[in-house]
Coordinates of all heavy atoms in Angstrom, one line a residue:
G26 N 2.1 -2.0 1.9 CA 2.4 -0.7 2.5 C 2.0 0.4 1.7 O 1.1 0.3 0.8
G27 N 2.5 1.6 1.9 CA 2.2 2.8 1.2 C 1.3 3.7 1.9 O 0.9 3.5 3.1
T28 N 0.8 4.8 1.2 CA -0.1 5.8 1.8 C -1.4 5.2 2.2 O -2.1 5.6 3.1 CB -0.2 7.0 0.9 OG1 1.0 7.6 0.8 CG2 -1.3 7.9 1.3
I29 N -1.9 4.2 1.4 CA -3.2 3.5 1.7 C -3.1 2.9 3.1 O -4.1 2.8 3.8 CB -3.5 2.5 0.6 CG1 -5.0 2.0 0.8 CG2 -2.5 1.3 0.6 CD1 -5.5 1.2 -0.4
Y42 N 2.5 12.6 6.8 CA 2.0 11.5 7.6 C 3.0 10.3 7.5 O 4.0 10.4 6.8 CB 0.6 11.0 7.0 CG 0.7 10.7 5.5 CD1 1.2 9.5 5.0 CD2 0.5 11.8 4.6 CE1 1.3 9.3 3.6 CE2 0.6 11.5 3.2 CZ 1.0 10.3 2.7 OH 1.2 10.1 1.4
P44 N 3.7 6.7 6.1 CA 3.1 5.6 5.3 C 3.4 4.2 5.9 O 4.3 4.1 6.8 CB 3.9 5.8 4.0 CG 5.2 6.4 4.3 CD 4.9 7.2 5.6
S45 N 2.7 3.2 5.5 CA 3.0 1.8 5.8 C 3.0 1.5 7.3 O 3.9 0.9 7.8 CB 4.4 1.5 5.2 OG 4.6 2.0 3.9
V73 N 6.2 -1.7 3.5 CA 7.3 -0.9 3.1 C 6.8 0.2 2.2 O 6.0 0.0 1.3 CB 8.3 -1.7 2.3 CG1 9.5 -0.9 1.9 CG2 8.8 -2.9 3.1
A74 N 7.3 1.5 2.5 CA 6.9 2.6 1.6 C 7.5 2.2 0.2 O 8.6 1.6 0.1 CB 7.5 3.9 2.1
S75 N 6.8 2.5 -0.9 CA 7.2 2.0 -2.2 C 8.5 2.6 -2.7 O 9.1 2.0 -3.5 CB 6.0 2.2 -3.2 OG 5.9 3.5 -3.7
Y76 N 8.9 3.7 -2.2 CA 10.2 4.3 -2.6 C 11.3 3.5 -2.0 O 12.5 3.8 -2.3 CB 10.2 5.8 -2.3 CG 9.8 6.2 -0.9 CD1 10.6 6.1 0.2 CD2 8.5 6.6 -0.7 CE1 10.2 6.5 1.4 CE2 8.1 7.0 0.5 CZ 8.9 6.9 1.6 OH 8.5 7.3 2.9
L77 N 11.0 2.6 -1.0 CA 12.1 1.8 -0.4 C 12.2 0.4 -0.9 O 12.9 -0.4 -0.4 CB 11.9 1.8 1.1 CG 12.0 3.1 1.8 CD1 11.6 3.0 3.3 CD2 13.4 3.7 1.7
H106 N -0.5 -1.0 -2.4 CA 0.9 -0.6 -2.7 C 1.0 0.9 -2.6 O 0.1 1.7 -2.8 CB 1.2 -1.0 -4.2 CG 2.6 -1.1 -4.6 ND1 3.4 0.0 -4.8 CD2 3.4 -2.1 -4.8 CE1 4.6 -0.3 -5.2 NE2 4.6 -1.7 -5.2
G107 N 2.2 1.4 -2.2 CA 2.5 2.9 -2.3 C 2.4 3.4 -3.7 O 2.7 2.6 -4.7
T108 N 2.1 4.6 -3.9 CA 1.9 5.1 -5.2 C 3.1 5.6 -5.9 O 3.2 5.7 -7.1 CB 0.8 6.3 -5.3 OG1 1.4 7.4 -4.5 CG2 -0.5 5.8 -4.7
D109 N 4.2 5.9 -5.1 CA 5.4 6.4 -5.7 C 5.9 5.5 -6.9 O 6.4 6.0 -7.9 CB 6.5 6.6 -4.7 CG 6.4 7.8 -3.9 OD1 5.2 8.4 -3.8 OD2 7.3 8.2 -3.2
T110 N 6.0 4.2 -6.6 CA 6.5 3.3 -7.6 C 5.5 2.2 -8.0 O 5.8 1.2 -8.6 CB 7.8 2.5 -7.1 OG1 7.4 1.7 -6.0 CG2 8.9 3.5 -6.6
L111 N 4.2 2.6 -7.8 CA 3.1 1.6 -8.1 C 3.2 1.2 -9.6 O 3.0 0.0 -9.9 CB 1.8 2.3 -7.8 CG 0.5 1.4 -7.8 CD1 -0.5 1.9 -6.8 CD2 -0.1 1.4 -9.2
G132 N -3.8 1.7 -4.5 CA -3.1 2.5 -3.5 C -4.0 3.7 -3.1 O -5.2 3.6 -3.3
A133 N -3.4 4.7 -2.5 CA -4.2 5.9 -2.2 C -3.3 7.1 -2.2 O -2.1 7.0 -1.9 CB -4.8 5.7 -0.8
M134 N -3.9 8.2 -2.4 CA -3.1 9.5 -2.3 C -3.2 10.1 -1.0 O -2.5 11.0 -0.6 CB -3.6 10.4 -3.4 CG -3.4 9.9 -4.8 SD -1.7 9.5 -5.1 CE -0.9 11.1 -4.9
R135 N -4.2 9.7 -0.2 CA -4.4 10.3 1.2 C -4.3 9.2 2.2 O -4.8 8.1 1.9 CB -5.8 11.0 1.3 CG -5.9 12.2 0.4 CD -7.3 12.8 0.5 NE -7.3 14.0 -0.3 CZ -8.4 14.6 -0.7 NH1 -9.6 14.0 -0.4 NH2 -8.4 15.7 -1.4
K181 N 2.1 7.9 -12.8 CA 1.6 8.9 -11.8 C 2.1 10.3 -12.3 O 3.2 10.5 -12.6 CB 2.3 8.6 -10.5 CG 1.9 9.5 -9.3 CD 2.5 9.0 -8.0 CE 2.2 10.0 -6.9 NZ 2.7 9.6 -5.6
T184 N 2.0 14.8 -7.8 CA 2.5 14.4 -6.5 C 1.4 14.1 -5.5 O 1.5 13.1 -4.7 CB 3.4 15.5 -5.9 OG1 4.4 15.8 -6.9 CG2 4.2 15.0 -4.7
Ligands
LIG305 C1 4.7 5.3 -1.1 O1 4.8 5.3 -2.3 O2 4.9 4.3 -0.3 C2 4.3 6.6 -0.4 C3 3.5 7.4 -1.2 C4 2.1 6.9 -1.5 O3 1.8 5.8 -1.3 O4 1.4 7.7 -2.1

Side-chain angles (χ1 to χ4, degrees):
T28 292
I29 192 167
Y42 53 86
S45 317
V73 181
S75 76
Y76 47 83
L77 296 175
H106 197 285
T108 63
D109 281 17
T110 65
L111 188 150
M134 295 307 296
R135 293 178 178 160
K181 183 176 174 178
T184 310

